[in-house]
């Protein structure tokens, strides 16, 4: 990576040639000097924007003026991929800094079922310690124990324990998946303030941020400003007996629920990230540190209002400002930092607005694809009922279906066959696979845009946790049976509107580039590892190192 440095620093900087005079022939620099790598940044800032599709990035990039605008001067990969089919928050975040697909992280969904687990609640949350008797999927004891792969921060701390590995997000699963197992500080928002693991205490930095949040919420706030470029999307769309498209996020005094659903919580997340840098002393010595920041509110706005209303326009404008504040704060501290920004998944707009805007085939998923309805239909077809618990768990949106316990081998085969036939006959289902079929498929390689459907599903299939049957709904089928205020659109499909995300790298002085080549989020970890000089054995990553300097310098050559 080539940095723009003052003339007096040339002795220690990367070699570069000055413009030649018109009548001179420039001499080629010595080979060894040309390949000298830039020093490692003192701080890696890994940013995830939850539900930030490549489509949203393309739609709004010309309007960014603060943080996003700065990143656009870096290495821009507008066709990044969360290559797998399970396009949910936890699987997506698990790929960002591990460099491996969910098939290896073990994070197959936000939640999965373990029918034989010894508690009434058979659902397991991706970042819970279900062995703890106090834990349920709705009120989990948060833990990274389900993550099977090390993160970049884990590996950097293993190489040098002086590395600081910290993370913050509004969502526990985002912060935990990006930071991993060996962490110095991990925080997420829990109703009225930021919190951390059960066996840790919040620090003065977190107490200060929670006090700032309480002051804002207790005082309330008016509408958020609507930028001029939002006018085209500022109109109402009817969904059942309510409308979306014109909301401006007013905040009534004491209303934490509204606060947690809008852009202001992203601002608090960024503010706490700055406080953590100061409290932990990140980026202050020669040992590189990792700060993971996942901004959750694009996802919450997307679920509540869809992508094409004024709400998302406001959200992205606010996030642009939040990113700018974060980068300005790091600049003011004189830290040499490198940034990567991507997303855990994309998303699709609300079907009601899609119908108005030329996509009449978009629809909400039918109730007959939910687990209980499927179980009833299979029992009617086969005469087999659940000897204990439920016959089937899961269903609903694209994803897994687990068989209940207590069935004989013959019954399991009969139920599986009937379920597969039922799903294949459903007009909303695109593909159905059994676990046995997926076990026989190699983990895919090559350009993710060219992967077949079964390859996409295989990339997020873990035989220890995935269901016995996996179904993929057709394009445009949105996995919400009954939309309601706060939940009108979603993600989770194997289609590119959910898979495609931007990937952007930035460091002060680097030569920018725009690369349309399809790359993967699993490429991020090996790329950052090369940047900090971390060498890991072959097979550590599913991804590859990306040369993120647009000049002749090669950031992967270390």
């Amino acid at each position: 990576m080539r940095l723009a440095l003052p003339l007096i620093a040339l002795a220690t900087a990367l070699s570069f040639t000055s413009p030649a005079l018109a009548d001179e022939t420039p001499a080629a620099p010595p080979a060894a000097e040309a390949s000298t790598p830039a020093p490692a940044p003192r701080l890696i800032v890994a940013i995830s924007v939850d539900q930030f599709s490549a489509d949203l990035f393309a739609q709004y990039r010309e309007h960014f003026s603060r943080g996003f605008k700065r990143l656009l001067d870096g290495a821009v990969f507008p066709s990044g991929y969360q290559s797998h089919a399970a396009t949910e928050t936890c699987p997506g975040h698990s790929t960002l800094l591990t460099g491996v697909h969910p098939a290896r992280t073990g994070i197959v969904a936000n939640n999965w079922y373990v029918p034989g687990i010894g508690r009434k609640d058979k659902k397991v949350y991706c970042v819970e310690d279900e062995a703890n008797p106090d834990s349920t999927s709705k009120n989990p004891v948060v833990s990274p124990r389900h993550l099977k792969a090390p993160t970049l921060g884990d590996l950097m701390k293993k190489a040098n324990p002086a590395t600081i590995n910290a993370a913050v997000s509004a969502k526990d699963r985002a912060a935990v998946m990006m930071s991993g197992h060996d962490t110095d500080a991990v925080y997420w928002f829990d109703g009225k303030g930021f919190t951390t693991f059960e066996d840790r205490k919040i620090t003065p930095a977190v107490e200060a941020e929670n006090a700032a949040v309480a002051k804002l919420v207790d005082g309330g706030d008016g509408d958020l400003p609507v930028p001029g470029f939002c006018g085209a999307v500022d109109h109402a769309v009817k969904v059942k007996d309510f409308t979306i498209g014109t909301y401006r996020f007013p905040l009534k005094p004491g209303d934490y629920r509204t606060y947690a659903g809008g852009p202001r919580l992203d601002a608090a997340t960024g503010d706490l990230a700055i406080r953590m840098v100061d409290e932990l002393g990140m980026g202050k010595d020669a040992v590189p540190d990792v700060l993971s920041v996942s901004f959750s509110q694009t996802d919450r706005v997307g679920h509540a209002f869809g992508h094409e209303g004024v709400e998302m326009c406001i959200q992205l404008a606010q996030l642009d400002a939040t990113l700018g504040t974060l980068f300005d704060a790091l600049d003011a501290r004189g830290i040499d930092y490198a940034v990567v920004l991507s997303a855990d998944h994309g998303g699709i707009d609300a079907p009601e607005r899609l119908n108005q805007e030329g996509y009449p085939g978009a629809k909400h998923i039918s109730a007959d694809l939910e687990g209980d309805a499927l179980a009833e239909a299979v029992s009617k077809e086969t005469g087999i009922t659940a000897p204990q618990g439920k016959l089937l768990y899961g269903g609903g949106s694209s994803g897994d279906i687990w068989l209940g316990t207590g069935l004989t081998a013959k019954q399991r085969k009969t139920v599986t066959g009937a379920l597969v036939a039922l799903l294949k006959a459903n007009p909303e289902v695109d593909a159905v696979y059994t676990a046995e079929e997926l076990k026989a498929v190699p983990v895919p390689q090559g350009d993710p845009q060219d992967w077949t459907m079964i390859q996409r599903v295989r990339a997020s299939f873990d035989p220890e946790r995935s269901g016995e049957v996996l179904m993929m709904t057709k394009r445009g089928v949105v996995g919400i049976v009954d939309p309601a205020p706060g939940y009108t659109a979603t993600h989770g499909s194997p289609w590119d509107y959910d898979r495609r995300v931007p990937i952007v790298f930035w460091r002060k002085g680097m030569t920018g580039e725009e690369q349309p080549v399809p790359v993967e989020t699993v490429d991020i970890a090996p790329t950052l590892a090369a940047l900090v000089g971390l060498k890991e054995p072959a097979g550590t990553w599913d991804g590859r190192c990306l040369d993120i300097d647009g000049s002749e310098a090669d950031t992967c050559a270390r």
Side-chain angles (χ1 to χ4, degrees):
M1 179 178 291
R2 177 156 298 149
L3 304 180
L5 297 174
L7 196 59
I8 59 174
L10 288 179
T12 56
L14 279 177
S15 172
F16 63 92
T17 56
S18 299
L21 297 177
D23 57 350
E24 291 183 352
T25 301
E33 194 174 70
S35 62
T36 302
R42 300 294 178 89
L43 178 64
I44 295 292
V45 182
I47 297 173
S48 172
V49 179
D50 202 317
Q51 202 180 139
F52 191 40
S53 69
D55 298 323
L56 277 178
F57 175 70
Q59 180 177 352
Y60 284 100
R61 62 182 292 178
E62 67 179 296
H63 300 297
F64 295 136
S65 61
R66 294 280 312 276
F68 280 119
K69 181 177 175 59
R70 179 189 298 215
L71 298 182
L72 290 173
D73 291 332
V76 181
F77 298 86
S79 291
Y81 278 81
Q82 288 281 5
S83 307
H84 52 271
T87 49
E88 293 185 331
T89 297
C90 216
H93 276 92
S94 82
T95 72
L96 292 174
L97 292 181
T98 63
V100 299
H101 298 117
R104 288 179 61 186
T105 68
I107 307 301
V108 300
N110 287 344
N111 301 277
W112 54 85
Y113 286 89
V114 182
I117 196 172
R119 68 183 192 191
K120 185 177 181 180
D121 181 6
K122 305 299 183 182
K123 185 186 292 185
V124 172
Y125 183 47
C126 61
V127 291
E128 76 160 307
D129 179 5
E130 68 273 19
N132 189 312
D134 295 330
S135 187
T136 70
S137 60
K138 291 185 178 181
N139 295 290
V141 173
V142 178
S143 166
R145 69 189 296 260
H146 290 309
L147 181 62
K148 294 183 177 181
T151 63
L152 179 69
D154 288 332
L155 294 173
M156 289 172 63
K157 285 187 74 70
K158 183 179 179 181
N160 190 330
T163 290
I164 300 171
N165 179 23
V168 60
S169 176
K171 294 184 179 181
D172 50 16
R173 56 187 178 271
V176 171
M177 287 293 118
M178 291 186 77
S179 56
H181 300 271
D182 191 356
T183 58
D184 297 279
V186 181
Y187 302 112
W188 60 88
F189 195 78
D190 186 21
K192 292 190 175 182
F194 289 91
T195 189
T196 188
F197 295 115
E198 189 178 54
D199 60 350
R200 300 186 189 182
K201 294 182 179 180
I202 62 172
T203 63
V206 184
E207 291 173 349
E209 187 58 39
N210 286 346
V213 169
K215 182 178 179 181
L216 173 61
V217 177
D218 290 347
D221 197 10
D223 289 354
L224 290 177
V226 180
F229 59 82
C230 294
V233 294
D234 189 10
H235 57 86
V237 172
K238 187 175 182 180
V239 180
K240 293 176 59 178
D241 58 350
F242 62 96
T243 62
I244 58 174
T246 61
Y247 188 65
R248 285 153 164 75
F249 304 99
L251 181 63
K252 296 178 181 179
D255 188 355
Y256 277 90
R257 182 174 181 180
T258 296
Y259 172 82
R264 296 177 182 87
L265 184 49
D266 272 347
T269 302
D271 192 46
L272 180 51
I274 297 166
R275 294 180 192 270
M276 291 166 65
V277 167
D278 291 338
E279 184 173 69
L280 296 167
M282 303 187 81
K284 295 296 180 64
D285 58 24
V287 180
D289 301 321
V290 184
L291 174 64
S292 300
V293 187
S294 179
F295 293 103
S296 302
Q297 301 312 101
T298 304
D299 183 73
R300 287 171 173 165
V301 170
H303 282 304
F305 306 103
H307 283 190
E308 294 301 313
V310 76
E311 300 91 350
M312 184 59 75
C313 193
I314 293 171
Q315 160 62 19
L316 292 179
Q318 291 284 314
L319 180 56
D320 185 37
T322 292
L323 289 170
T325 299
L326 173 60
F327 299 151
D328 289 347
L330 295 175
D331 291 342
R333 286 154 177 77
I335 298 172
D336 177 10
Y337 63 99
V339 180
V340 62
L341 182 145
S342 190
D344 54 345
H345 53 74
I348 191 171
D349 198 18
E352 290 80 4
R353 185 158 41 218
L354 289 169
N355 294 161
Q356 289 185 9
E357 296 179 350
Y359 194 175
K363 59 172 295 185
H364 292 286
I365 195 171
S366 300
D368 59 5
L369 287 176
E370 293 187 311
D372 289 347
L374 289 170
E376 182 178 354
V378 169
S379 290
K380 184 177 180 180
E381 174 70 22
T382 64
I384 299 172
T385 57
Q388 55 195 52
K390 295 183 177 182
L391 182 65
L392 301 175
Y393 296 86
S397 185
S398 291
D400 302 51
I401 302 170
W402 291 260
L403 273 61
T405 57
L407 299 172
T408 66
K410 182 178 180 180
Q411 287 176 323
R412 294 181 72 84
K413 183 177 180 179
T414 300
V415 168
T416 299
L419 175 61
V420 168
L422 182 69
L423 292 172
K424 286 184 175 181
N426 191 296
E428 295 179 5
V429 174
D430 184 84
V432 184
Y433 307 106
T434 66
E436 294 307 311
E437 288 178 285
L438 291 167
K439 289 176 185 177
V441 176
V443 175
Q445 298 179 344
D447 286 348
Q449 68 181 12
D450 300 326
W451 288 8
T452 63
M453 183 65 74
I454 197 170
Q455 287 178 313
R456 301 176 192 189
V457 179
R458 179 63 182 86
S460 50
F461 173 76
D462 178 350
E464 294 180 354
R465 293 178 181 161
S466 296
E468 283 90 346
V469 175
L470 292 88
M471 71 166 183
M472 301 294 114
T473 48
K474 288 185 176 178
R475 190 189 306 271
V477 176
V478 178
I480 299 174
V481 173
D482 188 20
Y487 195 43
T488 67
T490 192
H491 47 85
S493 83
W495 302 106
D496 279 1
Y497 50 73
D498 284 340
R499 296 172 72 223
R500 288 182 63 247
V501 296
I503 301 176
V504 185
F505 297 87
W506 180 90
R507 188 182 182 188
K508 185 177 181 180
M510 70 183 288
T511 301
E513 61 181 352
E514 179 103 7
Q515 272 284 7
V517 64
V519 297
E520 300 183 72
T521 55
V522 295
D523 297 332
I524 292 172
T527 300
L528 297 177
L531 207 60
V532 299
L534 178 68
K535 297 184 182 297
E536 293 295 325
T540 299
W541 326 108
D542 287 341
R544 63 184 177 91
C545 180
L546 305 174
D547 179 8
I548 58 173
D549 193 295
S551 72
E552 70 274 14
D554 186 352
T555 57
C556 295
R558 282 186 178 269

